[in-house]
Amino acid sequence: MSLAPFLALEGPDGAGKTTLATRAAEILAPLGVRHVNRRQVSTNSAYAATLMEPLARMLWHSGDAPDLSDGFWAHLQAAWFTAHGEQVVAPALTSGPVLVDGWYFKLASRLPGQGWHADEIDHLFSRVRRPDHTILLDVDPEVLWERKAGRLRDAELGMHGTYTDLGRASFLDYQQQGLNRLRATAAAEGWHVMTIPVGEDPDTTAHCVAALIRDLITPAPNTSGERP
Ligand SMILES: Cc1cn([C@H]2C[C@H](O)[C@@H](COP(=O)(O)OP(=O)(O)O)O2)c(=O)[nH]c1=O
């Protein structure tokens, strides 16, 4: 059985992955596209859900503290996305295309700045399911700051980086470094890059994302000159 395509939006903190995945999937619902949250536990296996719930709590609901190192968090993320790919994405792909609002690449883009070698990062995530198509939302970090200032987690401000003070300057530098690495990965892996114009209305962006996804998942027209 050939599975439907697995698509991912990727981008820095606040790029609009969740907002745009939700809206693009609504627009593409007639094509069977479903938005699957990257933080969703398994609905397929009660056993997997029981194990994924504490992982999700640790990753997203335990606050930010420097007590545990990157090594701990990176392995938790790798475990999470391995489970999610196997127990959430794979079952969903049996009923149609799946669009996730972010994957492990954002985290992977930060680790080189924290002393990790490319080989270590590749190895860490080597068992995680790879999207068939990844779309990078390329948004200027100044815009991200305007969107989210005042509601940023320390982790988003660069807590895992090497900054002495966390604030606007650390945020801009940390997000820009990550974005630069995501751009390099996009070029190397053949991702689709959407540069989002400053001030563009989210619904307009969502329609652009949906149009790109429609092209990616719709078979190319018969150009051989033969009638179908
Ligand atoms: C897509 C988009 C989102 N936003 C807002 C909605 C949210 O408050 C915030 C972050 O969006 P969100 O979708 O949560 O980003 P991500 O999942 O990538 O972290 O930005 C805009 O202001 N303009 C936009 O064009």
Side-chain angles (χ1 to χ4, degrees), residues 2-228:
S2 74
L3 284 177
F6 171 33
L7 304 116
L9 297 187
E10 196 51 278
D13 296 316
K17 300 180 291 293
T18 310
T19 308
L20 296 170
T22 307
R23 184 71 188 107
E26 282 169 10
I27 297 165
L28 295 169
L31 297 180
V33 176
R34 277 175 53 203
H35 166 217
V36 170
N37 193 299
R38 66 184 181 274
R39 298 174 181 181
Q40 169 71 53
V41 303
S42 177
T43 52
N44 194 51
S45 154
Y47 177 78
T50 303
L51 269 65
M52 289 176 79
E53 272 157 15
L55 269 185
R57 267 204 308 283
M58 283 191 275
L59 283 167
W60 297 297
H61 303 287
S62 59
D64 290 324
D67 308 38
L68 288 155
S69 70
D70 293 346
F72 173 80
W73 293 109
H75 281 85
L76 267 193
Q77 294 263 8
W80 173 264
F81 284 105
T82 303
H84 190 290
E86 292 174 3
Q87 293 294 332
V88 182
V89 173
L93 286 173
T94 59
S95 20
V98 166
L99 176 61
V100 289
D101 48 9
W103 205 232
Y104 69 86
F105 304 110
K106 180 180 76 177
L107 174 78
S109 75
R110 290 174 173 161
L111 294 175
Q114 294 161 211
W116 290 58
H117 294 287
D119 289 352
E120 283 179 285
I121 301 167
D122 288 349
H123 184 69
L124 180 64
F125 293 106
S126 61
R127 297 299 175 120
V128 179
R129 190 182 189 106
R130 292 287 189 118
D132 299 301
H133 303 284
T134 303
I135 300 170
L136 173 60
L137 302 171
D138 191 325
V139 183
D140 182 355
E142 293 275 5
V143 172
L144 303 176
W145 174 260
E146 293 301 322
R147 279 182 190 174
K148 287 194 77 173
R151 0 181 231 124
L152 286 161
R153 293 175 52 180
D154 283 356
E156 297 173 321
L157 290 165
M159 186 189 96
H160 298 288
T162 51
Y163 309 99
T164 40
D165 294 313
L166 295 183
R168 185 174 181 279
S170 66
F171 176 84
L172 293 178
D173 187 70
Y174 187 62
Q175 298 294 337
Q176 188 66 57
Q177 304 279 346
L179 180 56
N180 291 345
R181 291 198 199 91
L182 285 172
R183 287 174 178 161
T185 306
E189 302 283 331
W191 293 358
H192 306 270
V193 179
M194 288 193 59
T195 305
I196 313 298
V198 176
E200 184 169 78
D201 159 57
D203 206 52
T204 304
T205 313
H207 276 89
C208 294
V209 171
L212 172 57
I213 293 173
R214 187 180 289 114
D215 286 347
L216 292 172
I217 66 175
T218 309
N222 181 347
T223 53
S224 66
E226 292 168 21
R227 286 177 172 273

